[in-house]
C-alpha cells in the first residue's frame, strides 16, 4: 500500500466515524453496498465480519427506513434501537483502531498531502478554507467515500449542506458558510465550483478542473504544480521591425516590464486591444523577450477543448502571482481576457448592480492593484470594460489598421515562407495590399491555401487573387472594390485650369512639397504647421480630383480617396467610427486624404433634420481639427457648406474650367493622336472660344466616346470632335437653356 492510499484510508475512516456519530445517522444504511465497500478497506477482518453478522437485522431495519413502514412499538422498538447503537459503536471502534495504526508522519509526507500543503501555503489558505479544500480534494481521489456522501439515502442528513460538512470536518457551520460564499476565496479565486444553492441537494461544490488534474495525477509532483496551471509561451515569430508602426508602444511596454522586475513594482498591468489578427499576442511575447523575460499564458481551453471557465482562469492568474515570485523575470499574458475584464452588458444597459458584478469588481480591483508580477491583458474589444477597471491599467496599446508598409512586409514574409517559386513582383504585391483589406492572419492563410492548391504546378497569381477575394468577401460581406486609384490622366496639364483662390496654384504646389519634406524630418522645424487643408469647389468635371492626384504625385505621397458611400453607415455611431478610421489611416501612412462629394457630410447643420446628422458633422469637424497632414476635400455645391466647416480649410480653390486662352491648346494637345498638327480651323477655334465654359471632364467624355472607333481605324476628325464637345456642354447648366444636339450653342439671354 503506497502512502497516498494510506492517506485516503485514514481520512476515509475519520470521515465515516464522524458521519456515524451524527445523531440522525440511519443505522440501516450500514448495509448499503456503497457503505459496505467503503468500510471493507478500512475495518479489520474481525470487525467487518461482525458487521456482516448483523446484516439480517439491519436489512430489516433498513426496510423500515427505506419504505417508510410503521415502526415496531414498545419494547421491540427499544431493542432495535439498542442493537443499532451497539452495531454503530462497534464499527466506530473499529474505525478508530484503524486510524490509530497509521503513522501520521508518513501520511504528511505522501505526495497527495504535500500537494495540498503546497497549495494551501502558496495561496495562504487557513482554517475552514484549508479544511474544505483538503476535503474536496480527498473526495476526488477516494471515489468510494464520494459515493457514500452522495448517496440519496442520507439526503435528510445533508439537506443543510454547510452543517453537514461542518460535522464531517469538525468545524463550525458559520465558518463553512463564509468559506463557500460567492465572495469567499475558494469560489472567487476558482478553487471550487458550485452553484449558489449550496444548502440544497445539488449544491455540493467540486474542485476546479485544474485542481482535479493536480490531485488525481500520479505524474505531477508537488514541485511541478505550476506546469499544470500555465504553460510557457513560445518564442515570438515576429521581430521589432514587424511592429515599426508601434515602435514607441513596443519600447514602452518593454520598459514597464523591466522596471516592474527591477524594482519589484506592484500593479503593473498592460492592456493590448484591437481587432483579431493584428499581432497583439506576438507583441506581448516580443516585449518580454526584448528585456530577457519569460512569458506565461493563461489557458483559453479546458481539457474538453471548451472555453476555459472564469473561475479556472482566475485560479491560474493567482497561481502565477504566487508560484512564480522569485522566478527569472516572468510575465503573464492573459489572451482573450474579455471574460475576466468585461463588465456585465445587461448591467450597463439597465443599470444597477448584482452580487456577481460586485464579486467580479472586487476580484479585478485586487488583481489589478496588488499583483506583484506584471501582467499583459489582451482583448479584441474594450467597450464593455468598466471605466473603473480601465483606469487601473499602467499602459494601453491600440492595434488599429496596419500601415501599407507593414502590410507589404507581411505579404513578403508570407510569400517567402511559401517558397521562392511563390514570389511576386513588388508592383503586384503593392496592388494586392491596396485591393484586399485582410488581417495578417487571413492573409497568411490565403497564401498557404494558394501554395497547397498549387502543389507541384507552376504558381498562378490568379488563383491567389481568387482566394483573397473569397477571404475579403467573408470578412466584409462584399467583393473587393480595388483600393488602387486610377492613375493621373497622362494628358492632364494643371496650367490649363482656371483656378481662383488666395494663392496661385503653382505656389501652392511648391508649398505642399516643402511642407511634406519638413514634416518627414526626424525633428520637424519649429513653427511648422501641423496640417494643410484644401477645399476644392467647382462644377462636376472641372478637374478637382485630377488636381489632387497631381498634387500627391508632385509630393511623392499616396492619395487616399474616401468615398462618402463608404464613410456613411446605417448604424448609429458607425459613420463616426469610419471617419476616425480614415483619418487615422491617413496620418499613420502619411497619405494625402481626399474626401470627395464633401458637401454630403459637411453641409450646413442648420438644415439637418436628424440628430445623427449633427453628430456626424461635429465628428468631421473634430477630425479635421486634430488631423496632422494634408487634407483635400472637394465639393460641387459650396453654397451648402457649413460655415464652421468652411473655416477649417486654410486654402479654398475654385475650379472654373479650362482657361479661355488655353482652350484651343488643350483640345489640340488632348486629341493630338487623332488630329493633324494645326487641324483646328479658325471657325472651329471660334466655336470653342464661344462656349460659356469648357471643363476637363468634357474632354475626357468625348475621348471615351470615340476610343473604340479609334481602335478600329475610324478616329474622328476635327469637326466631329468640336461638335461632340459642343454637345457635351449642353448637359451642364451654365447658361445653356435647352438640351439638343445642335452643333452651335444658343446665345445667353
Amino acid at each position: 500500500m503506497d502512502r497516498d492510499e494510506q492517506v485516503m484510508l485514514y481520512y476515509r475512516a475519520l470521515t465515516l466515524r464522524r458521519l456515524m456519530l451524527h445523531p440522525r445517522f440511519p443505522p440501516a444504511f450500514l448495509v448499503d453496498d456503497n457503505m459496505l465497500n467503503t468500510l471493507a478497506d478500512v475495518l479489520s477482518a474481525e470487525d467487518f465480519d461482525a458487521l456482516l453478522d448483523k446484516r439480517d437485522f439491519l436489512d430489516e431495519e433498513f426496510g423500515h427506513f427505506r419504505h417508510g413502514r410503521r415502526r415496531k412499538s414498545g419494547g421491540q422498538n427499544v431493542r432495535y434501537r439498542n442493537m443499532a447503537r451497539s452495531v454503530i459503536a462497534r464499527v466506530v471502534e473499529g474505525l478508530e483502531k484503524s486510524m490509530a495504526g497509521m503513522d501520521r508522519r508518513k501520511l504528511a509526507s505522501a505526495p497527495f498531502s504535500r500537494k495540498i500543503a503546497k497549495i494551501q501555503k502558496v495561496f495562504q489558505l487557513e482554517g475552514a478554507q484549508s479544511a474544505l479544500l483538503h476535503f474536496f480534494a480527498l473526495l476526488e481521489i477516494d471515489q468510494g467515500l464520494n459515493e457514500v456522501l452522495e448517496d440519496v439515502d442520507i439526503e435528510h442528513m445533508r439537506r443543510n449542506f454547510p452543517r453537514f460538512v461542518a460535522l464531517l470536518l469538525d468545524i463550525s457551520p458559520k465558518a463553512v458558510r463564509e468559506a463557500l460564499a460567492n465572495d469567499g476565496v475558494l469560489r472567487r479565486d476558482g478553487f471550487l465550483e458550485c452553484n449558489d444553492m449550496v444548502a440544497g441537494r445539488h449544491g455540493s461544490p467540486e474542485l476546479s478542473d485544474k485542481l482535479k488534474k493536480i490531485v488525481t495525477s500520479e505524474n505531477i509532483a508537488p514541485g511541478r504544480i505550476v506546469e499544470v496551471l500555465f504553460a510557457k509561451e513560445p518564442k515570438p515569430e515576429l521581430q521589432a521591425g514587424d511592429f515599426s508602426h508601434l515602435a514607441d508602444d513596443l519600447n514602452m511596454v518593454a520598459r514597464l516590464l523591466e522596471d516592474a522586475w527591477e524594482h519589484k513594482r506592484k500593479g503593473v498591468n498592460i492592456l493590448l486591444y484591437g481587432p483579431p489578427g493584428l499581432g497583439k499576442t506576438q507583441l506581448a511575447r516580443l516585449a518580454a523577450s526584448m528585456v530577457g523575460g519569460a512569458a506565461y499564458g493563461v489557458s483559453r481551453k479546458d481539457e474538453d477543448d471548451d472555453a476555459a471557465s472564469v473561475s479556472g482562469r482566475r485560479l491560474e492568474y493567482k497561481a502565477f502571482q504566487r508560484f512564480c515570485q522569485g522566478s527569472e523575470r516572468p510575465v503573464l499574458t492573459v489572451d482573450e481576457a474579455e471574460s475576466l475584464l468585461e463588465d456585465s452588458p445587461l448591467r450597463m444597459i439597465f443599470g444597477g448592480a448584482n452580487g456577481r458584478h460586485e464579486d467580479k469588481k472586487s476580484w479585478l480591483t485586487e488583481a489589478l492593484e496588488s499583483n506583484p508580477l506584471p501582467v499583459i491583458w489582451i482583448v479584441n474589444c474594450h467597450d464593455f470594460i468598466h471605466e473603473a477597471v480601465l483606469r487601473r491599467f499602467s499602459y494601453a496599446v491600440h492595434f488599429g489598421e496596419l500601415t501599407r508598409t507593414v502590410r507589404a512586409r507581411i505579404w513578403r514574409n508570407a510569400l517567402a515562407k511559401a517558397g521562392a517559386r511563390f514570389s511576386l513582383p513588388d508592383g503586384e504585391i503593392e496592388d494586392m495590399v491596396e485591393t484586399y483589406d485582410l488581417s495578417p492572419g487571413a492573409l497568411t492563410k490565403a497564401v498557404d491555401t494558394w501554395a497547397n492548391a498549387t502543389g507541384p504546378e507552376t504558381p498562378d497569381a490568379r488563383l491567389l487573387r481568387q482566394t483573397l477575394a473569397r477571404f475579403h468577401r467573408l470578412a466584409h460581406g462584399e467583393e473587393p472594390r480595388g483600393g488602387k486609384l486610377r492613375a493621373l490622366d497622362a494628358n492632364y496639364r494643371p496650367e490649363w485650369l482656371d483656378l481662383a483662390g488666395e494663392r496661385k496654384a503653382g505656389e501652392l504646389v511648391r508649398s505642399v512639397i516643402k511642407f511634406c519634406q519638413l514634416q518627414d524630418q526626424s525633428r520637424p522645424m519649429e513653427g511648422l504647421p501641423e496640417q494643410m487643408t484644401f477645399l476644392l469647389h467647382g462644377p462636376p468635371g472641372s478637374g478637382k480630383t485630377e488636381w489632387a492626384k497631381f498634387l500627391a504625385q508632385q509630393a511623392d505621397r499616396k492619395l487616399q480617396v474616401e468615398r462618402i458611400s463608404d464613410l456613411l453607415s446605417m448604424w448609429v455611431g458607425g459613420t463616426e467610427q469610419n471617419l476616425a478610421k480614415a483619418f487615422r489611416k491617413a496620418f499613420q501612412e502619411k497619405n494625402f486624404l481626399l474626401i470627395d462629394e464633401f458637401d454630403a457630410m459637411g453641409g450646413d447643420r442648420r438644415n439637418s433634420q436628424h440628430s445623427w446628422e449633427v453628430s456626424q458633422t461635429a465628428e468631421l469637424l473634430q477630425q479635421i481639427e486634430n488631423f496632422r497632414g494634408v487634407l483635400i476635400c472637394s465639393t460641387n455645391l459650396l453654397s451648402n457648406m457649413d460655415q464652421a466647416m468652411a473655416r477649417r480649410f486654410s486654402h479654398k480653390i475654385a475650379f472654373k474650367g479650362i482657361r479661355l486662352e488655353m482652350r484651343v491648346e488643350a483640345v489640340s494637345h488632348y486629341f493630338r493622336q487623332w488630329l493633324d498638327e494645326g487641324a483646328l480651323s479658325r471657325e472651329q477655334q471660334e466655336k470653342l472660344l464661344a462656349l460659356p465654359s469648357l471643363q476637363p471632364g468634357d474632354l475626357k467624355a468625348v475621348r471615351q466616346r470615340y476610343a473604340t472607333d479609334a481602335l478600329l481605324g475610324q478616329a474622328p476628325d476635327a469637326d466631329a470632335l468640336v461638335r461632340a464637345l459642343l454637345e457635351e456642354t449642353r448637359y451642364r447648366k451654365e447658361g445653356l437653356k435647352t438640351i439638343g444636339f445642335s452643333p452651335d450653342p444658343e446665345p445667353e439671354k
Side-chain angles (χ1 to χ4, degrees):
M1 181 184 300
D2 62 30
R3 284 179 293 170
D4 274 351
E5 290 176 324
Q6 291 178 354
V7 169
M8 178 184 68
L9 293 178
Y10 175 83
Y11 284 104
R12 175 188 288 186
L14 178 62
T15 304
L16 292 175
R17 185 179 69 83
R18 289 173 176 167
L19 178 66
M20 283 182 281
L21 290 176
H22 192 290
R24 300 181 63 184
F25 177 76
F29 185 62
L30 287 173
V31 299
D32 178 79
D33 288 340
N34 287 335
M35 190 69 166
L36 285 174
N37 292 334
T38 305
L39 285 169
D41 292 333
V42 185
L43 294 175
S44 66
E46 178 184 356
D47 291 325
F48 190 69
D49 289 342
L51 173 60
L52 293 180
D53 288 342
K54 303 296 183 181
R55 180 162 187 163
D56 291 340
F57 160 73
L58 294 172
D59 272 337
E60 182 180 355
E61 183 68 13
F62 182 54
H64 288 282
F65 166 72
R66 180 177 56 192
H67 300 296
R69 293 202 296 265
R70 187 174 182 180
R71 298 282 184 180
K72 296 180 177 63
S73 59
Q76 284 184 311
N77 197 23
V78 173
R79 183 172 65 88
Y80 271 87
R81 286 201 303 269
N82 290 338
M83 289 181 65
R85 288 171 183 166
S86 175
V87 174
I88 292 174
R90 178 68 181 268
V91 174
V92 169
E93 183 181 351
L95 293 173
E96 290 173 344
K97 286 191 300 182
S98 177
M99 294 165 53
M102 298 184 187
D103 188 340
R104 298 295 299 276
R105 290 176 299 179
K106 289 184 178 180
L107 297 181
S109 64
F112 170 78
S113 298
R114 290 168 54 211
K115 288 177 187 176
I116 298 301
K118 185 174 182 64
I119 293 172
Q120 292 168 334
K121 179 180 179 181
V122 167
F123 293 104
Q124 300 176 356
L125 301 178
E126 299 176 346
Q129 298 171 352
S130 178
L132 283 166
L133 179 66
H134 189 269
F135 174 69
F136 289 111
L138 178 69
L139 295 184
E140 288 297 328
I141 67 170
D142 191 343
Q143 187 61 31
L145 180 59
N146 185 49
E147 291 174 353
V148 167
L149 296 182
E150 286 291 329
D151 200 298
V152 295
D153 289 325
I154 57 171
E155 178 188 348
H156 68 291
M157 291 177 56
R158 61 195 300 274
R159 188 170 294 128
N160 188 328
F161 188 77
R163 290 189 63 183
F164 178 65
V165 175
L167 168 77
L168 300 180
L169 302 182
D170 194 24
I171 54 181
S172 73
K174 180 181 178 182
V176 174
R177 290 191 188 93
E178 292 176 351
L180 294 180
N182 280 337
D183 57 352
V185 173
L186 294 179
R187 296 182 63 185
R188 187 189 67 185
D189 291 345
F191 295 96
L192 298 180
E193 297 178 353
C194 64
N195 58 37
D196 293 331
M197 303 296 294
V198 294
R201 171 180 172 184
H202 300 291
S204 301
E206 292 183 351
L207 284 186
S208 66
D209 291 338
K210 290 291 183 181
L211 285 185
K212 284 180 183 179
K213 184 174 181 181
I214 292 173
V215 301
T216 59
S217 176
E218 298 178 357
N219 300 322
I220 300 175
R224 295 183 56 232
I225 293 177
V226 66
E227 298 177 20
V228 180
L229 296 174
F230 39 78
K232 194 171 183 178
E233 295 276 34
K235 293 182 179 180
E237 298 176 2
L238 302 180
Q239 302 303 317
D242 296 308
F243 293 101
S244 57
H245 57 300
L246 295 173
D248 293 339
D249 289 317
L250 175 60
N251 182 56
M252 186 65 170
V253 172
R255 284 173 176 267
L256 288 173
L257 295 179
E258 175 83 21
D259 177 73
W261 293 321
E262 288 295 323
H263 299 94
K264 302 187 184 305
R265 209 175 297 282
K266 291 185 177 182
V268 176
N269 293 276
I270 299 162
L271 180 67
L272 310 182
Y273 65 100
L278 297 182
K280 298 186 292 295
T281 303
Q282 289 292 319
L283 185 139
R285 297 173 183 173
L286 179 60
S289 67
M290 286 171 57
V291 286
Y296 293 86
V298 171
S299 301
R300 289 175 285 177
K301 299 290 184 69
D302 60 16
E303 299 295 325
D304 298 323
D305 205 33
D306 296 325
S309 66
V310 172
S311 58
R313 303 189 87 194
R314 285 185 181 182
L315 175 62
E316 293 181 52
Y317 176 90
K318 192 162 187 177
F320 172 80
Q321 298 296 339
R322 301 286 189 181
F323 277 105
C324 290
Q325 290 190 54
S327 302
E328 188 64 26
R329 297 194 161 204
V331 58
L332 185 66
T333 60
V334 187
D335 210 346
E336 298 180 7
E338 285 85 350
S339 61
L340 292 175
L341 294 175
E342 283 181 342
D343 196 6
S344 167
L346 291 178
R347 193 195 73 82
M348 295 181 69
I349 295 172
F350 299 108
N354 53 48
R356 290 190 180 276
H357 166 70
E358 294 304 321
D359 165 40
K360 175 178 280 191
K361 184 177 179 182
S362 172
W363 183 87
L364 281 173
T365 300
E366 180 181 347
L368 296 175
E369 290 183 349
S370 60
N371 52 302
L373 297 175
V375 181
I376 300 178
W377 306 79
I378 302 172
V379 298
N380 296 330
C381 178
H382 71 297
D383 293 343
F384 283 137
I385 302 178
H386 195 279
E387 59 181 11
V389 175
L390 287 175
R391 69 169 179 259
R392 285 180 164 84
F393 286 102
S394 308
Y395 194 70
V397 181
H398 175 249
F399 284 68
E401 185 174 349
L402 298 177
T403 65
R404 185 174 69 255
T405 302
V406 173
R407 294 201 304 272
R409 186 188 305 116
I410 294 171
W411 261 106
R412 293 185 176 90
N413 290 342
L415 293 170
K417 290 179 181 178
R421 63 194 186 97
F422 292 97
S423 61
L424 294 173
D426 288 344
E428 188 158 9
I429 291 177
E430 291 292 335
D431 182 54
M432 289 185 178
V433 166
E434 294 299 324
T435 303
Y436 305 103
D437 183 13
L438 297 174
S439 69
L443 186 154
T444 303
K445 189 66 176 178
V447 173
D448 289 342
T449 301
W450 177 45
N452 294 336
T454 298
E457 299 177 4
T458 301
D460 185 350
R462 289 177 299 176
L463 288 178
L464 175 59
R465 287 186 176 272
Q466 175 182 329
T467 305
L468 291 167
R470 301 303 179 269
F471 273 84
H472 188 282
R473 182 172 183 79
L474 181 64
H476 303 286
E478 61 181 9
E479 298 295 336
R481 299 183 181 181
K484 190 172 183 179
L485 187 66
R486 182 176 296 173
L488 179 66
D489 191 332
N491 295 304
Y492 179 80
R493 294 292 183 274
E495 59 269 20
W496 294 344
L497 300 181
D498 184 6
L499 304 181
E502 295 87 345
R503 297 173 63 184
K504 293 182 180 179
E507 293 179 359
L508 279 178
V509 172
R510 290 190 292 272
S511 178
V512 170
I513 294 174
K514 189 65 175 179
F515 170 81
C516 294
Q517 292 173 345
L518 295 175
Q519 195 180 44
D520 286 342
Q521 294 179 358
S522 57
R523 292 187 177 181
M525 179 184 296
E526 185 177 353
L528 180 70
E530 292 185 336
Q531 62 178 205
M532 292 189 74
T533 52
F534 295 87
L535 179 61
L536 315 183
H537 59 94
S542 56
K544 300 184 292 297
T545 301
E546 290 299 303
W547 191 82
K549 292 179 185 178
F550 171 78
L551 193 64
Q553 183 188 75
Q554 294 299 302
D556 194 24
R557 294 290 176 91
K558 175 191 172 184
L559 183 64
Q560 175 187 327
V561 180
E562 297 293 343
R563 308 177 182 89
I564 290 296
S565 59
D566 292 334
L567 293 174
L568 293 175
S569 171
M570 63 182 291
W571 305 109
V572 176
T575 300
E576 290 84 341
Q577 292 180 7
N578 292 340
L579 281 169
K581 180 180 178 181
F583 276 88
R584 184 169 55 248
K585 177 182 178 181
F587 168 71
Q588 290 176 343
E589 299 186 3
K590 296 184 178 181
N591 298 334
F592 281 18
L593 178 58
L594 170 62
I595 302 180
D596 206 358
E597 301 176 7
F598 185 69
D599 50 278
M601 190 174 294
D604 195 334
R605 284 172 288 182
R606 292 174 296 182
N607 299 328
S608 300
Q609 299 180 0
H610 305 284
S611 60
W612 50 264
E613 293 178 300
V614 177
S615 174
Q616 291 173 3
T617 304
E619 176 67 21
L620 183 56
L621 281 167
Q622 191 69 24
Q623 291 293 341
I624 294 175
E625 184 73 24
N626 297 327
F627 180 60
R628 289 177 288 171
V630 176
L631 171 66
I632 306 171
C633 295
S634 64
T635 177
N636 301 330
L637 302 171
L638 183 62
S639 59
N640 291 349
M641 187 68 58
D642 187 271
Q643 294 182 3
M645 191 73 70
R647 288 197 299 269
R648 294 298 193 279
F649 294 93
S650 54
H651 305 286
K652 305 174 184 66
I653 304 175
F655 284 68
K656 298 182 177 181
I658 299 175
R659 291 159 52 191
L660 182 64
E661 66 272 20
M662 300 298 295
R663 287 183 186 178
V664 174
E665 178 185 331
V667 172
S668 299
H669 179 83
Y670 201 87
F671 298 105
R672 63 188 181 280
Q673 293 179 330
W674 300 344
L675 297 175
D676 296 331
E677 188 173 347
L680 291 177
S681 66
R682 184 177 183 83
E683 180 182 0
Q684 292 166 342
Q685 293 181 22
E686 289 177 350
K687 288 181 178 181
L688 291 176
L689 295 175
L691 289 173
S693 70
L694 183 64
Q695 305 291 350
D698 299 334
L699 305 183
K700 185 176 182 180
V702 171
R703 185 180 183 87
Q704 290 175 338
R705 181 192 302 185
Y706 291 110
T708 303
D709 294 343
L711 292 175
L712 298 176
Q714 301 174 2
D717 57 17
D719 192 54
L721 288 174
V722 171
R723 186 166 56 250
L725 289 171
L726 299 182
E727 292 173 357
E728 198 65 35
T729 63
R730 293 181 182 277
Y731 292 99
R732 290 187 281 104
K733 297 179 180 180
E734 295 178 0
L736 300 181
K737 303 303 181 181
T738 63
I739 295 179
F741 295 93
S742 170
D744 299 319
E746 295 183 3
E748 292 185 9
K749 296 180 180 180

